[in-house]
Amino acid sequence: MGALAGATMRHIDPGALVENDRVHRSVYTDPEVFELEMERIWGKAWIFVGHESQVREPGQYFATSIARQPIILVRDNNGALQVLFNRCAHKGAMLVGDQCGKVKELRCCYHGWRFDLSGTLISIPLEKGYDCTGFGRGDPQANLQRAPRWASYRGFVFASLSEEGPDLISWLGGAASSIDNMVDRAPEGDLEVAGGVLRFEHDSNWKFFVENLNDLMHPMVAHQSSSLTARSLAKKMLPPDRPPPAAIEILSPFTESYGFFDEMGLHAFDYGHGYSGGKTSIHARYSDIPEYNRRMEAAYGKDRTAEILAVNRHNTVIYPSMTIKGAIQTMRVVKPVAVNKTIIESWTFRLKGAPDELLRRSILYCNLINSSANLVGPDDQEAYWRQQCGLESVASEWVSMHRDAGQDEEIAPGHFYAKGSSDLAFRNQYRAWRGYMVDEGSPQ
Ligand SMILES: [Fe+2]
C-alpha cells in the first residue's frame, strides 16, 4: 500500500469478511475494500491484457489497463511482446492516447521524448540540459517501465504487476482447457480478434458480474422478460415447420428449466477459476453450419472434430479479469473503475479457416446478449444495480452462498464439481479472494 493511502485508510481485516458459506456486504460496498482489492488481487494476479492478433506486426499496439493503471501491449522490432506502463518517464503523460494503432516508436505528445518499442529512451530535445543531473539516457528510470511479468497462453496475453507468484500455466490450471477448446475450434488452430468491441458501463461492483456468470439459478428468473418473451412470440408468430431464426436459437435457452441448468454442472479450480457446462450448455442446440464441419474434418479428421465440438461449456471465468465462451467465440473483459462502477468489454473472435457465418453468429450473440442496448445483459445489470443499492442497507451484514454448501465433490486434485444449482462458483471465488486479500505476501 502506498504511504499516503496507508496513512489515510482505516484497518481492514479481509479475513473476517469471508466465511465458507457467506460473505460480508462490505466486499461490494466499501471503497477501502475496493482499494485493497486493486492492490492485493488486481495488483498480483495474472490479468488479461490483450490477444496476440491485435499486435501481430512490429509497432502495433493495444492500450488497456491493469488495476486502473494505463498499460500498452506492443510488438517490438524483434517481434517480441512488450507490456509497458503507458506513462512517459519525463512528466508522466500517457504515451498512447487512443486504443490501438501502429507506430515506429513511442513519442510523447507533450515534450517529444522518444522511446523505442521496447521502452528504451532514444532521445530528449535539448538533451544537454540533463548533463550531470543523474537523469537521462542510460538511466533505467528514464525508460518506459515494464510490467514485472507477462506471458502468453495460446495467443491470450496476461500480465502481472507482481514480481512473484505462480507462472501463468500453473495459475490457469484446469481453466486453460477452455482456452484450448476455443482455439481448437479453428480449422487453422488460431484465433483473431474481429468484429469490434462493445463497452458496457455497470453502476455496480465488479464481483457481481464475475459471480453471475456461473450462477445458474438466475437465468430462468432474471431473463424471463427477454428470453421467455422471445420464446412465446416465436411460438405465436413463426411457422412451426421452419427452423427458428438464429436470434431465437440464441435467446430461448436462457429460460430453460432448473433441471437443464442443474445438468450443466459446475467445475471449480484454484485461484477462483471455473466453468459451467461441458456435456451440454445453452449453446448446445445451435444449428449446424455444414461448411464449418467440413473444414474442421479436413483439418482434424472426423474423430478429433467430434471430440472438439462435443465440449459444450457455458461460461469460463479466469478470475478476476477475463471470461470466455468457447462454443460461441466470445470474451468479456472486466475493468473495475470504482467500488460501484465497472466496465465490461465484449469481444468476438474469428476462428481462422472457418466460414464467416461463425463470426456473424458470435457478433449477433454479443449484440443480443452482451450489449448495453439489448436484451439479456441489461436484465443482469438491473439485478447487479439492485444488489449494489440493497447491500447499502443494514438489514443484514451477510450475503448468502449457502446452497449445497459442504457437498462440493473433488473429482481430481484441485478440481471441484457440483450440480448447476450449487453456489460452488461463489464459494470458490471467495476462497481465492480470501487467499489474495489475507496473505499479503503470496496469492493463494
Ligand atoms: Fe444472466
Side-chain angles (χ1 to χ4, degrees):
M1 187 182 299
L4 185 61
T8 55
M9 283 171 77
R10 68 180 200 276
H11 177 73
I12 291 168
D13 176 9
L17 303 179
V18 175
E19 296 179 1
N20 289 338
D21 49 16
R22 62 182 194 168
V23 57
H24 193 266
R25 69 184 179 92
S26 65
V27 307
Y28 303 103
T29 58
D30 185 338
E32 294 186 10
V33 172
F34 177 83
E35 291 303 323
L36 214 52
E37 288 177 337
M38 290 303 100
E39 181 190 319
R40 296 187 183 176
I41 301 178
W42 292 78
K44 281 184 184 168
W46 287 101
I47 303 297
F48 178 72
V49 174
H51 190 263
E52 288 199 38
S53 62
Q54 295 171 289
V55 289
R56 284 259 190 247
E57 293 165 25
Q60 280 190 316
Y61 64 83
F62 176 67
T64 180
S65 62
I66 299 179
R68 296 174 302 179
Q69 301 183 44
I71 293 284
I72 318 168
L73 170 67
V74 62
R75 179 85 58 180
D76 72 17
N77 282 323
N78 297 320
L81 292 172
Q82 300 285 345
V83 179
L84 308 170
F85 285 95
N86 189 2
R87 185 251 192 237
C88 183
H90 178 216
K91 289 189 189 285
M94 291 196 298
L95 270 299
V96 165
D98 53 2
Q99 200 179 31
C100 58
K102 190 174 178 188
V103 289
K104 287 202 171 71
E105 60 185 34
L106 294 159
R107 179 176 179 269
C108 183
C109 71
Y110 198 9
H111 298 96
W113 287 38
R114 295 166 55 231
F115 303 86
D116 72 16
L117 297 173
S118 61
T120 304
L121 178 62
I122 306 169
S123 76
I124 306 173
L126 296 182
E127 193 165 4
K128 237 181 135 26
Y130 288 88
D131 283 357
C132 308
T133 64
F135 191 62
R137 267 197 296 166
D139 178 353
Q141 280 304 309
N143 294 332
L144 299 181
Q145 299 303 297
R146 296 173 178 183
R149 293 185 297 155
W150 63 89
S152 175
Y153 183 75
R154 300 201 71 179
F156 291 80
V157 185
F158 293 78
S160 168
L161 298 185
S162 169
E163 302 276 357
E164 288 161 18
D167 64 80
L168 178 61
I169 291 178
S170 325
W171 179 83
L172 285 170
S177 61
S178 291
I179 296 179
D180 290 337
N181 182 252
M182 181 149 74
V183 182
D184 290 346
R185 283 170 178 262
E188 292 175 17
D190 196 12
L191 300 176
E192 59 188 9
V193 165
V197 57
L198 294 168
R199 289 202 172 76
F200 188 174
E201 188 174 287
H202 290 63
D203 289 328
S204 49
N205 189 268
W206 64 273
K207 296 189 293 301
F208 290 130
F209 172 80
V210 288
E211 290 165 17
N212 168 271
L213 295 195
N214 288 325
D215 171 351
L216 302 189
M217 286 297 287
H218 89 277
M220 63 297 281
V221 180
H223 301 308
Q224 283 175 5
S225 64
S226 48
S227 168
L228 208 56
T229 306
R231 264 174 192 247
S232 53
L233 280 177
K235 208 168 167 189
K236 241 185 256 166
M237 300 173 75
L238 295 176
D241 52 340
R242 285 213 221 127
I248 297 298
E249 276 191 347
I250 288 172
L251 283 163
S252 298
F254 282 89
T255 38
E256 279 289 353
S257 65
Y258 285 107
F260 176 85
F261 283 96
D262 233 0
E263 184 70 26
M264 276 170 52
L266 295 164
H267 296 257
F269 305 95
D270 283 348
Y271 301 111
H273 311 322
Y275 66 84
S276 50
K279 289 196 191 93
T280 192
S281 81
I282 64 167
H283 311 297
R285 285 176 300 194
Y286 292 169
S287 304
D288 256 356
I289 298 175
E291 176 59 16
Y292 171 60
N293 295 348
R294 196 192 62 72
R295 293 191 201 178
M296 284 291 283
E297 285 178 13
Y300 295 105
K302 226 177 169 55
D303 291 351
R304 177 67 185 136
T305 298
E307 198 175 77
I308 292 167
L309 300 183
V311 175
N312 249 303
R313 293 183 188 175
H314 175 49
N315 287 305
T316 295
V317 171
I318 312 272
Y319 189 81
S321 70
M322 186 184 99
T323 77
I324 57 171
K325 275 181 174 290
I328 189 81
Q329 301 93 51
T330 63
M331 168 175 71
R332 281 177 285 179
V333 178
V334 183
K335 297 282 176 73
V337 177
V339 68
N340 58 357
K341 197 168 287 291
T342 309
I343 292 171
I344 306 297
E345 294 181 347
S346 291
W347 297 86
T348 41
F349 291 97
R350 175 185 285 118
L351 296 171
K352 287 183 87 173
D356 288 345
E357 284 104 301
L358 277 100
L359 177 60
R360 276 204 288 274
R361 187 165 65 187
S362 303
I363 294 171
L364 176 67
Y365 185 92
C366 271
N367 279 331
L368 279 173
I369 310 301
N370 299 341
S371 150
S372 60
N374 227 293
L375 297 168
V376 171
D379 294 337
D380 296 313
Q381 188 207 26
E382 171 77 11
Y384 312 150
W385 177 74
R386 289 189 188 202
Q387 283 183 289
Q388 193 72 44
C389 296
L391 291 175
E392 288 293 345
S393 88
V394 294
S396 167
E397 291 302 306
W398 296 95
V399 183
S400 167
M401 41 186 194
H402 289 85
R403 186 178 281 277
D404 290 336
Q407 295 178 48
D408 309 334
E409 192 188 339
E410 192 166 10
I411 57 175
H415 180 174
F416 293 87
Y417 174 81
K419 61 182 187 283
S421 54
S422 166
D423 277 343
L424 168 63
F426 293 84
R427 289 189 290 270
N428 189 57
Q429 289 183 12
Y430 280 103
R431 179 166 69 94
W433 188 95
R434 202 175 192 282
Y436 281 114
M437 293 285 278
V438 171
D439 178 2
E440 269 197 81
S442 60
Q444 191 79 3

